[in-house]
Structures are given as structure tokens and as C-alpha cells.
């Protein structure tokens, strides 16, 4: 089954020697995704929404169909719609803007917006910078307090008893924005207490699903977040496209983000009126070819859903055993639920040196802070080497990683 799936990825024919272990950064793309992008550019190549001719209408239908599939992939709510974005980061910037703007009418949907205590946004120390910096930018400007769930030295959430209660006494927590899965440790956090907290206090519950979308889309659905942001490229799709999924009525009630063509009803000299959501958040020409390809990525992920799940378990169980046997410490070991992402340290070797030496052995991994500097502080390291595995990886790839780490250790005599 894995062989059949691997045959869909042209990467392996072009790079037969490379063991690709950097899917947390971006997943490889199957041929059908590449073909869909090519198909748009060669066969249709027209703009959407405003064309009165058949080709444009056909392209519009394709894009609207992908929009529905992208929302349904992470949400069971028929009320949820997808706004196309450039990816998770842009989706979180959009959410941060509209959820803190005084021009958004959120009090009708979320009771916390009626409370006059200092408004606050709850994040965690495990977040990717994409789910910290946008909130900081708007918090500073709009008088919001930023609060963080602490994490322990393994990267697990570590809130002291009564933590949420004490926050609720002091602040009006209007937004709870958390990543379901860490890109550093692969830990799938249990966000259910925070979902309950958001419900009880009338806060908006936002999920950064950049990593979870590939490993655990069912867990995202179970949480039923109010806002979900993810990128196509972590899900075997193209770069430069993603979605922010949210309730249509909430999006209708929120402030616009960028202005331009395609998002208006009527433009006058001094002011304009806007389309309803999702159109009001999609100024300018969209990445149409990428949306076609995104559609094929969603189809691929749906088709191989079972295998993606079983491979996650297979590779994690095998990988954990190999790391333990070789006595290589990795962060997040023993977490409740984890995908096969290994952030590790070789004593005496800087993560970048480890990465370079692994590359000499044709093993492609990532090294650095992984856009998670607050998490690095909690883990008490400045950087880690990270191997992130996906459905197309094999146990043989894990063996090659462990052998290559052995080579690094030999050089550093550790
Ligand atoms: N959030 C998490 C957990 C991530 O791992 C990433 C990317 O690695 C992002 C957000 C940002 O995604 P993108 O760069 O596709 O916008």
C-alpha cells in the first residue's frame, strides 16, 4: 500500500537517494497535485467570478467546489465556510485582525465581548510564531493582554491547578488561540479543557491546524473550533494557498481586512460596501491554479485517510523504539498522543552541525528553533534537530536516520 502511494510522488524518482524527513516544513506533492496546477495554466488559465463566458464559469465552479471541500475536511458544521488565504500564517493574521477590531460585531456571538474587564487572548508557550506574532501586533495596538499556558521541559501543556479560573477572574478572555499539534514535538495536545473554557466564558476558540490537518483532521472536527487555519502545502498541496474556516454569520459580522477588487458591492467616492463572507475577505485575484491543486491534495488525503493514520502509528512506534534503543533523547517522549516528529539533541553537537552531517548521509532534516522560540526556552535549548515523517516514509527511512545519527555521534564522540 505504501509502495502504491509512494509511486504517486515524482520526488522519489528525481531524488532516489534522499531520505526526506522534513514533511513538518512542507509535505511532498503527488503527481495529481502537480498536474492540476499545470491543467489550470495550460487548459483554462482564466479569471474567476467576473467572467460571463463558459470557461470562466467553469473555473469559478472548480474554485467554489474546492472551497467547500477545504471547509468540510476540518469541520462538520454546514454553517462553516472557507476563506482562501496564502496559508496558515495569513489566516491567523486575518483572524487576529477581525477578532480584535472594534468594527467587528462579535458581542452577538461571543458573550466575552460584552464584558468590560481588560480583554485578553490566551495562547500557549508551545505556539509557532504564526500563532503568536499576529496576536501581539493587534494586542499592543488594541489594548489586549496576552496570556500563555505554560509548557514543561518536554513540551507538554503544564497549567497549574486553578490556572484558567484565575485568568477568568481577572480578565475577559475573548480569544483562545492554540495549535492542536506541535511542529517541534509532534505532540497532539488535549485542547478539550480549553474548548470548554472558551464555551463557558463566551470566548472565540481558534485552532492553528497547520500540523494537525495532516495527522489528525478528525480531532479538529471533534473540537469544533470557531476558527481554523491551515495551509495546503502541509497536506500534500501547493505552497501559497490555505484557508481560514469559520462560521459564515460570524465572518459576515466582522471588519474587512484588505480592500480591492472582488470584495465590494458598491464603490463610491468616500466609501464602499462589501460582499458577504467569504468574498469580503478575498480582495484581488486569487491563486486559482493553486486552488485547483489544493482540491487534488484534499482528494488525495481523503483517499489515503486510513493509511495516513496507520502509518502515523507504525512509524511512531518503530521510531520511538529505535530512538530508545540507540539512547537518543527526543522531546515529547511519552506524550499522550504524538505523531512521528522527532526533535532531538546530540550532546556536544550543535543542531545545525547535526543537520549538515545528516545531509552528507542523504538524510534531509531541519535544524533550528522551528519558529518556536518560546518553546525552545521551555525545553531549555536554543535549537533542535528535527526529523518529521509522513505517510510516504518507511521503517527503512527510520533505520537510515538512526544510522546517520550514529555517524554524527562518532564524529562528536558521543
Ligand atoms: N503553525 C504551525 C504549527 C506550523 O507548523 C506552521 C508551519 O510550519 C505554521 C503555523 C505556519 O504555516 P505556513 O508557513 O504554511 O503559513
Amino acid at each position: 500500500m505504501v509502495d502504491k502511494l509512494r509511486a504517486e510522488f515524482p520526488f522519489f524518482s528525481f531524488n532516489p537517494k534522499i531520505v526526506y524527513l522534513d514533511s513538518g516544513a512542507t509535505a511532498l506533492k503527488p503527481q495529481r497535485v502537480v498536474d492540476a496546477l499545470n491543467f489550470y495554466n495550460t487548459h483554462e488559465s482564466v479569471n474567476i467570478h467576473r467572467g460571463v463566458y463558459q470557461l470562466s464559469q467553469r473555473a469559478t465552479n472548480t474554485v467554489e467546489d474546492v472551497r467547500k471541500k477545504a471547509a468540510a475536511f476540518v469541520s462538520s458544521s454546514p454553517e462553516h465556510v472557507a476563506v482562501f488565504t496564502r496559508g496558515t500564517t495569513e489566516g491567523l493574521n486575518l483572524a487576529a485582525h477581525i477578532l480584535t477590531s472594534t468594527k467587528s460585531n462579535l458581542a452577538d456571538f461571543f458573550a466575552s465581548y460584552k464584558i468590560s474587564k481588560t480583554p485578553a487572548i490566551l495562547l500557549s508557550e508551545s505556539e509557532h510564531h504564526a500563532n503568536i506574532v499576529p496576536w501581539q501586533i493587534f494586542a499592543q495596538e488594541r489594548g489586549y493582554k496576552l496570556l500563555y499556558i505554560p509548557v514543561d521541559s518536554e513540551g507538554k501543556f503544564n497549567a497549574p491547578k486553578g490556572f484558567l479560573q484565575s485568568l477568568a477572574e481577572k480578565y475577559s478572555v475573548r480569544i483562545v488561540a492554540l495549535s492542536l499539534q506541535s511542529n517541534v514535538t509532534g505532540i497532539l495536545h488535549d485542547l478539550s479543557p480549553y474548548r470548554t473554557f472558551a464555551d463557558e466564558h463566551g470566548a472565540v476558540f481558534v485552532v492553528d491546524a497547520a500540523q494537525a490537518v495532516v495527522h489528525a483532521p478528525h480531532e479538529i472536527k471533534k473540537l469544533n473550533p470557531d476558527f481554523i487555519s491551515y495551509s495546503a502545502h502541509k497536506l500534500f498541496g501547493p505552497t501559497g494557498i490555505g484557508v481560514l474556516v469559520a462560521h459564515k454569520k460570524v465572518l459576515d459580522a466582522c471588519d474587512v481586512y484588505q480592500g480591492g477588487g472582488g470584495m465590494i458591492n458598491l464603490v463610491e467616492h468616500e466609501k464602499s460596501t462589501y460582499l458577504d463572507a467569504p468574498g469580503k475577505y478575498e480582495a484581488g485575484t486569487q491563486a486559482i491554479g493553486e486552488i485547483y491543486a489544493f482540491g487534488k491534495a484534499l482528494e488525495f488525503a481523503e483517499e489515503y485517510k486510513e493509511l495516513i493514520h496507520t502509518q502515523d502509528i507504525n512509524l511512531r512506534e518503530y521510531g520511538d523504539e529505535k530512538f530508545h534503543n540507540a539512547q537518543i533523547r527526543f522531546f515529547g517522549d511519552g506524550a499522550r498522543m504524538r505523531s512521528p516528529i522527532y526533535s532531538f539533541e546530540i550532546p556536544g553537537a550543535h543542531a545545525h552541525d547535526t543537520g549538515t552531517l545528516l545531509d552528507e548521509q542523504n538524510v534531509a532534516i531541519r535544524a533550528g528553533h522551528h519558529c518556536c522560540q518560546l518553546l525552545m526556552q521551555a525545553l531549555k535549548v536554543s535549537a533542535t534537530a528535527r526529523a518529521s515523517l509522513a505517510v510516504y516514509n518507511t521503517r527503512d527511512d527510520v533505520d537510515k536516520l538512526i544510522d546517520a545519527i550514529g555517524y554524527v555521534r562518532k564524529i562528536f564522540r558521543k
Side-chain angles (χ1 to χ4, degrees), residues 38 58 103 121 129 141 181 207 290 314 347 359 371 386:
N38 202 21
R58 199 190 302 160
K103 291 190 195 151
I121 302 164
H129 296 162
E141 209 177 279
Q181 184 153 42
V207 165
E290 281 73 8
N314 168 31
D359 185 45
C371 300
R386 182 192 73 184

Side-chain angles (χ1 to χ4, degrees), residues 317-330 333 399 402 409:
E317 285 179 355
Y318 189 71
D320 284 11
E321 188 189 320
K322 289 282 161 176
F323 269 76
H324 291 154
N325 288 348
Q327 298 186 338
I328 307 156
R329 182 189 168 215
F330 59 92
D333 194 359
D399 291 341
I402 299 291
R409 282 169 136 184

Side-chain angles (χ1 to χ4, degrees), residues 37 40 63 84-85 239-241 284-292:
L37 182 58
Y40 167 74
V63 165
F84 285 115
T85 62
T239 53
I241 189 76
T285 300
Q286 301 299 296
I288 304 168
E290 281 73 8
I291 295 174
Y292 274 52

